[in-house]
Amino acid sequence: MKEYIGGCHCGKVKYKFNSNESVEIWKCNCSICKMNDYEHLFILHNDFKILEGNNLLSEYSFDSKKAKHLFCMNCGIKSFYQPRSHPDSYSVNLRCVEGPPDIENIVYFDGKNEY
């Protein structure tokens, strides 16, 4: 396991998490993930910690209201959120991680039709 740092574009939201150095990510075709080309890396809640900017997070929910999409109120980037598919984990956008882990496998998830 290795510690990684991630955050939003403006740098006001920062977090750290522990992960393997080689990971599986998910690519989802739901309306919001497809628009953002989001690369899901699921991190257990206990392995994730917000370092800065918790007060700058704005929540957005749609459709089933189960996912809690969190955006930086300053720059608008969703660097992580609470997905409906993994209630015990956050989904970190691998594109928002400094020196991210290597991708060993990509799972293509049909979020458009699964829920």
Side-chain angles (χ1 to χ4, degrees):
M1 293 288 261
K2 181 178 174 184
E3 185 176 275
Y4 293 92
I5 301 292
C8 65
H9 184 261
C10 70
K12 293 187 177 186
V13 173
K14 290 186 180 176
Y15 50 82
K16 67 179 181 178
F17 63 90
N18 295 313
S19 175
N20 293 325
E21 294 183 55
S22 184
V23 297
E24 175 179 278
I25 64 166
W26 284 25
K27 298 285 283 179
C28 176
N29 66 351
C30 79
S31 60
I32 198 165
C33 292
K34 185 176 178 184
M35 268 188 182
N36 290 298
D37 197 25
Y38 200 97
E39 294 184 340
H40 298 266
L41 173 60
F42 298 109
I43 304 296
L44 291 171
H45 290 152
N46 289 338
D47 290 329
F48 182 94
K49 182 178 181 184
I50 296 175
L51 301 173
E52 296 176 23
N54 193 39
N55 61 324
L56 291 173
L57 293 172
S58 180
E59 183 179 302
Y60 171 70
S61 292
F62 66 99
D63 200 23
S64 70
K65 308 280 191 232
K66 291 181 181 177
K68 305 299 180 200
H69 301 273
L70 303 169
F71 298 85
C72 172
M73 289 190 285
N74 190 58
C75 67
I77 296 298
K78 178 177 83 169
S79 59
F80 78 99
Y81 78 106
Q82 178 59 63
R84 61 185 175 178
S85 62
H86 291 72
D88 60 343
S89 300
Y90 290 113
S91 174
V92 170
N93 187 349
L94 194 65
R95 297 179 183 278
C96 296
V97 177
E98 299 171 15
D102 294 327
I103 299 170
E104 74 178 28
N105 188 42
I106 300 174
V107 173
Y108 292 94
F109 179 71
D110 186 10
K112 182 178 180 180
N113 298 302
E114 288 290 323
Y115 288 93

